[in-house]
Amino acid sequence: MLKRASSSVCIRSNLIIMEIDIQKTADGSQTLFVPSLDEHYHSIKGALTESQHIFIHMGFQACKCEEPRILEIGFGTGLNALLTIEEAEKTQRKTHYTSLERYPLSMEIIAQGGVLGEIYSIDADLDHNYGYPKYP
């Protein structure tokens, strides 16, 4: 059973108004659902489980190069980026991470917390330590 919290979000890049629901998945993590597209950002069986398996275990850990270069098309919630930062720090691997997102999440959705709150709470730390620009 999915737990829903709904909010309307203005996606600024094309001025499209789109409803986005925050849903709890089977592993307790959160994903986003766009009803107008009938599309989830992650698996409803477990957003965290899916990202750890596909992006970290089968991607980052399977890559044996010393300095992996990652291109993610669709930043989404940033969960893959967060897990990559954690894994890179744990393994002490210098990692080059680039992500493109046509429809960045609004601050309204980010402010609702959960896993999204964890992802964006590191934003200040990244900006302070590495000089990365703030996410809009």
Side-chain angles (χ1 to χ4, degrees):
M1 179 61 84
L2 296 174
K3 183 179 178 184
R4 292 188 170 193
S6 183
S7 84
S8 292
V9 177
C10 176
I11 298 181
R12 288 175 242 146
S13 59
N14 287 334
L15 298 177
I16 298 170
I17 305 275
M18 195 178 312
E19 180 184 332
I20 296 179
D21 296 336
I22 298 175
Q23 298 182 346
K24 190 172 185 176
T25 66
D27 69 0
S29 61
Q30 293 179 338
T31 189
L32 300 179
F33 176 68
V34 180
S36 62
L37 301 174
D38 193 27
E39 187 73 33
H40 287 92
Y41 278 53
H42 294 281
S43 170
I44 60 171
K45 295 179 180 178
L48 184 59
T49 300
E50 174 190 44
S51 287
Q52 285 175 328
H53 176 69
I54 294 171
F55 211 83
I56 301 302
H57 299 302
M58 302 304 290
F60 190 84
Q61 291 174 349
C63 174
K64 300 303 177 194
C65 60
E66 289 182 29
E67 291 187 21
R69 296 181 179 276
I70 299 167
L71 172 62
E72 181 180 28
I73 307 299
F75 185 75
T77 64
L79 180 57
N80 294 332
L82 176 66
L83 294 176
T84 300
I85 290 168
E86 290 174 349
E87 189 66 22
E89 287 179 349
K90 184 171 74 175
T91 60
Q92 297 294 298
R93 288 170 76 188
K94 182 176 180 181
T95 303
H96 304 271
Y97 194 101
T98 303
S99 183
L100 306 171
E101 179 60 63
R102 182 171 177 151
Y103 304 109
L105 296 175
S106 74
M107 291 309 290
E108 295 170 55
I109 285 290
I110 293 166
Q112 292 186 32
V115 114
L116 302 178
E118 289 176 31
I119 291 163
Y120 294 99
S121 70
I122 67 167
D123 183 53
D125 184 51
L126 289 175
D127 182 56
H128 174 73
N129 291 316
Y130 305 105
Y132 292 126
K134 292 282 187 198
Y135 192 73

